[in-house]
Amino acid sequence: MDIRPVNPGHLLIIPIEHAPYLRDVESDTVAHMMRLAQRFAGALRASGMRCEGVNLFLADGEAAMQEVFHCHLHVFPRYRNDGFGLRFGPDYVVRDRGELEAAAAQILAALPEPG
């Protein structure tokens, strides 16, 4: 359980092996984390706790609000007007298709081979 919960029921999925960033976690472990998140999301909804929705949140790097440098996945219940939210910056606008394709090509060029 998170010691500073967004809402009651906020839990963490933490790999046993230390890995500071998502890229450092074994792919089988990442898959297992998501399977657990799916199960816990269902458990939150069935628990009787206030839960109209569920967020999954993984902060990867300081700029992404990572405070504890051991990769972990937050799973927390949400409900209307709970006070939590994301704030979008001034550059949050619809992008031109060419700009999107150029960004996608740059990312694909840096994509490591699986394994």
Side-chain angles (χ1 to χ4, degrees), residues 38-85:
Q38 182 182 33
R39 290 179 60 202
F40 281 120
L44 282 168
R45 289 180 177 276
S47 69
M49 300 185 86
R50 189 167 184 193
C51 181
E52 297 170 11
V54 175
N55 268 130
L56 304 180
F57 179 76
L58 191 148
D60 190 67
E62 193 172 340
M65 303 183 333
Q66 185 176 8
E67 295 175 345
V68 175
F69 287 86
H70 180 105
C71 185
H72 58 284
L73 179 63
H74 296 257
V75 182
F76 54 94
R78 298 295 310 279
Y79 50 87
R80 288 191 192 284
N81 301 314
D82 65 7
F84 182 81

Side-chain angles (χ1 to χ4, degrees), residues 13-30:
I13 298 172
I14 307 169
I16 293 170
E17 296 294 324
H18 175 67
Y21 302 108
L22 181 61
R23 70 170 182 237
D24 302 321
V25 180
E26 293 291 328
S27 60
D28 288 345
T29 301
V30 174

